[in-house]
PDB file of all heavy atoms in Angstrom:
ATOM      1  N   SER K  30      25.378  32.945 -60.553  1.00  0.00           N
ATOM      2  CA  SER K  30      26.316  32.228 -61.433  1.00  0.00           C
ATOM      3  C   SER K  30      25.715  31.978 -62.798  1.00  0.00           C
ATOM      4  O   SER K  30      24.503  31.775 -62.911  1.00  0.00           O
ATOM      5  CB  SER K  30      26.694  30.842 -60.794  1.00  0.00           C
ATOM      6  OG  SER K  30      27.507  30.139 -61.665  1.00  0.00           O
ATOM      7  N   ASP K  31      26.562  31.949 -63.822  1.00  0.00           N
ATOM      8  CA  ASP K  31      26.021  31.584 -65.148  1.00  0.00           C
ATOM      9  C   ASP K  31      26.640  30.270 -65.568  1.00  0.00           C
ATOM     10  O   ASP K  31      26.657  29.953 -66.748  1.00  0.00           O
ATOM     11  CB  ASP K  31      26.310  32.692 -66.164  1.00  0.00           C
ATOM     12  CG  ASP K  31      27.740  33.111 -66.227  1.00  0.00           C
ATOM     13  OD1 ASP K  31      28.593  32.437 -65.587  1.00  0.00           O
ATOM     14  OD2 ASP K  31      28.062  34.073 -66.959  1.00  0.00           O
ATOM     15  N   VAL K  32      27.154  29.521 -64.603  1.00  0.00           N
ATOM     16  CA  VAL K  32      27.676  28.192 -64.888  1.00  0.00           C
ATOM     17  C   VAL K  32      27.113  27.194 -63.820  1.00  0.00           C
ATOM     18  O   VAL K  32      27.074  27.506 -62.660  1.00  0.00           O
ATOM     19  CB  VAL K  32      29.239  28.171 -64.706  1.00  0.00           C
ATOM     20  CG1 VAL K  32      29.805  26.758 -64.874  1.00  0.00           C
ATOM     21  CG2 VAL K  32      29.831  29.124 -65.742  1.00  0.00           C
ATOM     22  N   ALA K  33      26.637  26.087 -64.366  1.00  0.00           N
ATOM     23  CA  ALA K  33      26.050  25.100 -63.462  1.00  0.00           C
ATOM     24  C   ALA K  33      27.127  24.409 -62.635  1.00  0.00           C
ATOM     25  O   ALA K  33      28.242  24.199 -63.091  1.00  0.00           O
ATOM     26  CB  ALA K  33      25.295  24.040 -64.289  1.00  0.00           C
ATOM     27  N   LEU K  34      26.761  24.101 -61.410  1.00  0.00           N
ATOM     28  CA  LEU K  34      27.619  23.352 -60.510  1.00  0.00           C
ATOM     29  C   LEU K  34      27.091  21.954 -60.333  1.00  0.00           C
ATOM     30  O   LEU K  34      25.907  21.701 -60.465  1.00  0.00           O
ATOM     31  CB  LEU K  34      27.653  24.053 -59.119  1.00  0.00           C
ATOM     32  CG  LEU K  34      28.061  25.505 -59.096  1.00  0.00           C
ATOM     33  CD1 LEU K  34      27.949  26.030 -57.671  1.00  0.00           C
ATOM     34  CD2 LEU K  34      29.448  25.691 -59.643  1.00  0.00           C
ATOM     35  N   VAL K  35      27.999  21.030 -60.039  1.00  0.00           N
ATOM     36  CA  VAL K  35      27.613  19.627 -59.737  1.00  0.00           C
ATOM     37  C   VAL K  35      27.447  19.569 -58.217  1.00  0.00           C
ATOM     38  O   VAL K  35      28.453  19.711 -57.457  1.00  0.00           O
ATOM     39  CB  VAL K  35      28.662  18.634 -60.239  1.00  0.00           C
ATOM     40  CG1 VAL K  35      28.188  17.215 -59.903  1.00  0.00           C
ATOM     41  CG2 VAL K  35      28.805  18.790 -61.760  1.00  0.00           C
ATOM     42  N   ARG K  36      26.229  19.328 -57.742  1.00  0.00           N
ATOM     43  CA  ARG K  36      25.995  19.215 -56.324  1.00  0.00           C
ATOM     44  C   ARG K  36      26.465  17.850 -55.803  1.00  0.00           C
ATOM     45  O   ARG K  36      26.864  17.699 -54.676  1.00  0.00           O
ATOM     46  CB  ARG K  36      24.499  19.307 -56.024  1.00  0.00           C
ATOM     47  CG  ARG K  36      23.855  20.596 -56.426  1.00  0.00           C
ATOM     48  CD  ARG K  36      22.376  20.467 -56.421  1.00  0.00           C
ATOM     49  NE  ARG K  36      21.811  20.239 -55.115  1.00  0.00           N
ATOM     50  CZ  ARG K  36      21.138  21.178 -54.439  1.00  0.00           C
ATOM     51  NH1 ARG K  36      20.959  22.341 -54.938  1.00  0.00           N
ATOM     52  NH2 ARG K  36      20.690  20.921 -53.248  1.00  0.00           N
ATOM     53  N   ASP K  37      26.267  16.839 -56.666  1.00  0.00           N
ATOM     54  CA  ASP K  37      26.542  15.489 -56.286  1.00  0.00           C
ATOM     55  C   ASP K  37      27.414  14.861 -57.409  1.00  0.00           C
ATOM     56  O   ASP K  37      26.870  14.431 -58.397  1.00  0.00           O
ATOM     57  CB  ASP K  37      25.280  14.696 -56.049  1.00  0.00           C
ATOM     58  CG  ASP K  37      25.497  13.306 -55.566  1.00  0.00           C
ATOM     59  OD1 ASP K  37      26.686  12.868 -55.384  1.00  0.00           O
ATOM     60  OD2 ASP K  37      24.534  12.576 -55.321  1.00  0.00           O
ATOM     61  N   GLU K  38      28.726  14.832 -57.201  1.00  0.00           N
ATOM     62  CA  GLU K  38      29.620  14.414 -58.273  1.00  0.00           C
ATOM     63  C   GLU K  38      29.513  12.897 -58.530  1.00  0.00           C
ATOM     64  O   GLU K  38      29.786  12.456 -59.638  1.00  0.00           O
ATOM     65  CB  GLU K  38      31.068  14.770 -57.849  1.00  0.00           C
ATOM     66  CG  GLU K  38      32.037  14.733 -58.976  1.00  0.00           C
ATOM     67  CD  GLU K  38      33.453  15.198 -58.480  1.00  0.00           C
ATOM     68  OE1 GLU K  38      33.607  15.430 -57.279  1.00  0.00           O
ATOM     69  OE2 GLU K  38      34.328  15.292 -59.333  1.00  0.00           O
ATOM     70  N   PHE K  39      29.141  12.163 -57.467  1.00  0.00           N
ATOM     71  CA  PHE K  39      29.042  10.695 -57.583  1.00  0.00           C
ATOM     72  C   PHE K  39      27.614  10.250 -57.203  1.00  0.00           C
ATOM     73  O   PHE K  39      27.441   9.634 -56.170  1.00  0.00           O
ATOM     74  CB  PHE K  39      30.087  10.019 -56.723  1.00  0.00           C
ATOM     75  CG  PHE K  39      31.503  10.367 -57.105  1.00  0.00           C
ATOM     76  CD1 PHE K  39      32.197  11.350 -56.397  1.00  0.00           C
ATOM     77  CD2 PHE K  39      32.139   9.713 -58.151  1.00  0.00           C
ATOM     78  CE1 PHE K  39      33.508  11.692 -56.734  1.00  0.00           C
ATOM     79  CE2 PHE K  39      33.458  10.066 -58.497  1.00  0.00           C
ATOM     80  CZ  PHE K  39      34.137  11.051 -57.792  1.00  0.00           C
ATOM     81  N   PRO K  40      26.628  10.578 -58.012  1.00  0.00           N
ATOM     82  CA  PRO K  40      25.234  10.212 -57.667  1.00  0.00           C
ATOM     83  C   PRO K  40      25.001   8.719 -57.644  1.00  0.00           C
ATOM     84  O   PRO K  40      25.680   7.951 -58.368  1.00  0.00           O
ATOM     85  CB  PRO K  40      24.397  10.925 -58.689  1.00  0.00           C
ATOM     86  CG  PRO K  40      25.286  11.159 -59.844  1.00  0.00           C
ATOM     87  CD  PRO K  40      26.698  11.274 -59.305  1.00  0.00           C
ATOM     88  N   ASP K  41      24.043   8.334 -56.839  1.00  0.00           N
ATOM     89  CA  ASP K  41      23.642   6.973 -56.770  1.00  0.00           C
ATOM     90  C   ASP K  41      23.169   6.474 -58.166  1.00  0.00           C
ATOM     91  O   ASP K  41      22.659   7.271 -58.963  1.00  0.00           O
ATOM     92  CB  ASP K  41      22.451   6.871 -55.792  1.00  0.00           C
ATOM     93  CG  ASP K  41      22.060   5.448 -55.503  1.00  0.00           C
ATOM     94  OD1 ASP K  41      22.622   4.848 -54.592  1.00  0.00           O
ATOM     95  OD2 ASP K  41      21.173   4.938 -56.249  1.00  0.00           O
ATOM     96  N   GLY K  42      23.362   5.207 -58.445  1.00  0.00           N
ATOM     97  CA  GLY K  42      22.994   4.650 -59.729  1.00  0.00           C
ATOM     98  C   GLY K  42      21.565   4.848 -60.082  1.00  0.00           C
ATOM     99  O   GLY K  42      21.190   4.921 -61.265  1.00  0.00           O
TER     100      GLY K  42
END
Side-chain angles (χ1 to χ4, degrees):
S30 176
D31 55 7
V32 175
L34 303 177
V35 180
R36 299 165 67 106
D37 184 359
E38 197 178 5
F39 299 98
D41 187 88

